[in-house]
Amino acid sequence: MRAPAVPRNSGTGAAGLRVLHIGKFYPPARGGMEAFLADLIAAQRAQGMEAFAVVHGTPSADDPDWLTRVPVRGNIAYAPVAPGFRSALARAIERFQPDVLHLHVPNLAVFWALTLAAARSIPWIVHWHSDVVFEDRKVLSVAYKFYRPWEQAVLERAERVVVTSPPYLRASEALAPWRAKCVVVPLGLGAPVTHGGEAPQPLPWRAGRLRLLSIGRLSYYKGFGTLIRAVAALPDVQLLIAGSGELRPALQALIESSTPAGREPATILLGEISEQRKHELLASCDLFCLASRERTEAFGMVLLEAMSHARPCLVSDLAGSGMPWLVREARCGRLVEVDNEQAWRDAITRSARDSQERRRQGEA
């Protein structure tokens, strides 16, 4: 039986406003976009809005009534493909009668909105999480030639485009024609969550070492190789990297090949970890490191998580990314030259020697 449609909001305030999000994935799927979407929907609902979402993923019996997950049948150039997304979006619009569509990009699924008359009759907000960056990736470079016309059509149709930092807006070629409709709204975290339920496990830190932590998908743009090489010969430093991904075998091989004879490896790959474990590690590390080397890292939500635990941050001084802007604005850490192994080694060594600076940056 089809659920009844709900009348559209006729008021002018936020209370009662109906917002339908077109997202990529939703928790428990991991990632910055996913975590932010969950926090944003929770915040909107707390403000009295009615927020709904259509995303990729396998439906779960625990899913709330306002969340629609559409099964993925494959991938094209790293992007999920769900043939049922268009019809699911049409049904969601008919059922929820949204006042606004909130499109989260990059995301192939948002293009279906261009093909639906019901979607085109509603104002659109585009949330620009990242450009499509294809440095060193020929497959994505070719795919973007087909993606770009649709991307630009979505931007043309949008009432407003939300960008996460001033440097990202200035550097984005795709947004250049539409800057008059862009507004900068930095990302944020929702209310702190108390994590629990898991039996306590010892943390894998070694005594007497500077404890470095990095978290993210084991992908080429994260710069984990630079971190591994930078710490390999530092005797009083330990680096834990949490996350899974296609580069795990190559990174493990790099750890082994770069470890001096007779020493324990300075880096340990932890693999995928739970939310509770992530927060335990963030609370116990001395320094959080994010060495990303490409503007696919548009903001760095994980930096906000580290900052919420008062952890100082070392990040790549990546032009056009929001990472350096965030650290400068918060005065919470230090910037390091991108892909420069020696610069990272020097920055880590300086931090190891100056516990007062780490304390000040953490407090900031």
Side-chain angles (χ1 to χ4, degrees), residues 12-353:
T12 58
L17 189 73
R18 294 181 168 272
V19 182
L20 176 59
H21 294 269
I22 305 177
K24 199 168 185 180
F25 290 97
Y26 190 86
R30 306 294 288 275
M33 283 180 67
E34 291 74 19
F36 175 73
L37 177 58
D39 281 345
L40 179 58
I41 288 176
Q44 289 176 334
R45 287 181 160 264
Q47 291 174 351
M49 299 183 194
E50 291 290 327
F52 316 93
V54 183
V55 300
H56 301 92
T58 303
S60 167
D62 297 329
D63 287 341
D65 183 59
W66 48 261
L67 176 64
T68 301
R69 299 188 202 261
V70 184
V72 174
R73 303 304 183 194
N75 289 274
I76 295 178
Y78 310 101
V81 176
F85 208 102
R86 184 180 188 273
S87 57
L89 177 58
R91 288 193 298 272
I93 292 172
E94 180 183 2
R95 177 185 176 192
F96 298 126
Q97 296 290 297
D99 304 297
V100 177
L101 288 185
H102 195 136
L103 285 61
H104 296 263
V105 297
N107 182 5
L108 287 174
V110 304
F111 299 155
W112 289 121
L114 292 165
T115 72
L116 293 170
R120 296 195 304 272
S121 70
I122 306 167
W124 294 4
I125 299 295
V126 169
H127 218 118
W128 193 265
H129 292 271
S130 171
D131 292 352
V132 176
V133 182
F134 45 83
E135 178 184 341
D136 299 330
R137 287 188 287 180
K138 291 184 178 179
V139 172
L140 196 53
S141 176
V142 172
Y144 185 64
K145 293 179 181 178
F146 298 93
Y147 180 97
R148 182 179 171 85
W150 293 85
E151 166 194 83
Q152 293 297 301
V154 166
L155 290 169
E156 182 178 17
R157 178 66 183 74
E159 298 289 334
R160 289 288 185 272
V161 180
V162 178
V163 191
T164 57
S165 72
Y168 214 87
L169 175 56
R170 290 193 296 266
S172 175
E173 180 183 342
L175 293 178
W178 315 107
R179 285 180 183 168
K181 63 172 70 175
C182 292
V183 58
V184 173
V185 182
L187 298 180
L189 293 176
V193 176
T194 301
H195 297 275
E198 296 179 15
Q201 297 291 328
L203 295 170
W205 299 116
R206 298 173 188 145
R209 298 198 180 191
L210 185 73
R211 297 168 295 184
L212 308 183
L213 177 65
S214 195
I215 299 173
R217 179 170 177 79
L218 304 184
S219 184
Y220 78 101
Y221 74 88
K222 289 289 188 178
F224 290 127
T226 299
L227 281 179
I228 290 169
R229 288 187 291 269
V231 304
L234 295 178
D236 298 321
V237 172
Q238 182 184 11
L239 169 64
L240 301 183
I241 298 176
S244 61
E246 63 276 8
L247 286 190
R248 179 159 187 165
L251 292 175
Q252 186 61 52
L254 177 60
I255 292 169
E256 294 168 4
S257 65
S258 60
T259 300
R263 286 191 185 173
E264 289 183 297
T267 302
I268 299 174
L269 301 181
L270 300 177
E272 198 71 40
I273 59 173
S274 67
E275 282 292 300
Q276 176 176 316
R277 193 65 164 175
K278 177 179 72 175
H279 286 277
E280 290 172 352
L281 289 165
L282 284 167
S284 62
C285 72
D286 295 313
L287 195 61
F288 185 81
C289 300
L290 192 59
S292 300
R293 56 186 299 273
E294 187 182 88
R295 289 179 61 255
T296 303
E297 194 75 78
F299 189 86
M301 280 285 289
V302 71
L303 294 174
L304 296 183
E305 293 181 310
M307 290 159 62
S308 75
H309 288 277
R311 298 301 92 184
C313 301
L314 284 184
V315 306
S316 297
D317 193 6
L318 182 61
S321 169
M323 289 188 304
W325 172 82
L326 175 59
V327 169
R328 285 193 191 100
E329 289 290 305
R331 299 178 181 177
C332 68
R334 183 174 296 280
L335 307 180
V336 188
E337 185 177 344
V338 181
D339 274 344
N340 188 323
E341 174 186 323
Q342 186 59 51
W344 277 91
R345 188 176 296 117
D346 292 344
I348 291 166
T349 300
R350 173 172 174 172
S351 291
R353 292 172 178 167

